[in-house]
């Protein structure tokens, strides 16, 4: 395994992607980012790049985060998918977890919550 992590960040908001990337970079400076602005793009980019970790918004055009989670899990059932969303309804969260997501971060993002998810999923990487 290489030292460089590849993380797919998928959100239809450029600002949300930038904020998440900034927090991740503070925690892990050796990260290569792949960015998607909708769920279908996230699935396609996952297929191409097989990143170490995926951050998905739930509300996105073309395919939402739940559909994107299902699509990515169909490619790789060990995919490490984290849902990042302000729509923290229990039903959507439950659907995302059932689809294969491994964790959830509530928007607006708290940097320490992102760091704790990174720690628990990546350990010392």
């Amino acid at each position: 395994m290489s030292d460089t992590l590849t993380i797919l960040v998928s959100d239809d908001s450029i600002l949300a992607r930038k904020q998440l990337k900034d927090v991740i970079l503070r925690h892990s400076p050796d990260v290569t980012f792949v960015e998607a602005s909708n769920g279908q793009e996230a699935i396609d980019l996952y297929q191409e790049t097989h990143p170490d970790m995926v951050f998905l918004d739930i509300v996105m055009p073309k395919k939402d985060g739940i559909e994107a989670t299902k699509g990515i899990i169909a490619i790789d059932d060990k995919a490490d998918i984290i849902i990042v969303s302000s729509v923290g309804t229990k039903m959507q969260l439950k659907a995302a977890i059932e689809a294969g997501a491994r964790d959830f971060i509530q928007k607006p993002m708290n940097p320490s919550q992102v760091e704790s998810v990174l720690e628990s999923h990546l350990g010392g990487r």
Side-chain angles (χ1 to χ4, degrees):
M1 225 177 227
S2 72
D3 289 344
T4 306
L5 284 172
T6 302
I7 295 180
L8 170 59
V9 176
S10 183
D11 195 305
D12 56 326
S13 160
I14 292 169
L15 180 63
R17 293 197 308 260
K18 182 184 180 333
Q19 288 172 332
L20 182 57
K21 290 189 317 183
D22 288 348
V23 173
I24 293 168
L25 283 171
R26 282 200 297 273
H27 180 272
S28 307
D30 293 330
V31 173
T32 301
F33 288 104
V34 183
E35 292 185 57
S37 59
N38 65 62
Q40 184 58 56
E41 203 179 341
I43 296 167
D44 297 342
L45 284 169
Y46 191 93
Q47 177 78 44
E48 283 171 39
T49 62
H50 287 278
D52 299 286
M53 194 173 212
V54 179
F55 288 89
L56 286 177
D57 187 15
I58 286 185
V59 179
M60 291 187 292
K62 294 195 181 165
K63 288 194 175 183
D64 66 17
I66 294 164
E67 291 176 277
T69 297
K70 290 177 182 169
I72 290 169
I73 292 294
I75 296 165
D76 176 5
D77 64 358
K78 291 180 180 40
D80 198 0
I81 299 171
I82 317 300
I83 296 293
V84 184
S85 187
S86 53
V87 237
T89 69
K90 287 197 166 101
M91 248 175 58
Q92 282 185 304
L93 184 53
K94 186 172 183 283
I97 299 294
E98 284 171 357
R102 303 201 193 281
D103 222 324
F104 177 79
I105 295 172
Q106 180 79 44
K107 282 183 189 172
M109 274 181 301
N110 175 338
S112 64
Q113 189 187 10
V114 175
E115 286 168 14
S116 114
V117 164
L118 289 167
E119 273 303 311
S120 73
H121 289 256
L122 302 172
R125 288 188 64 195

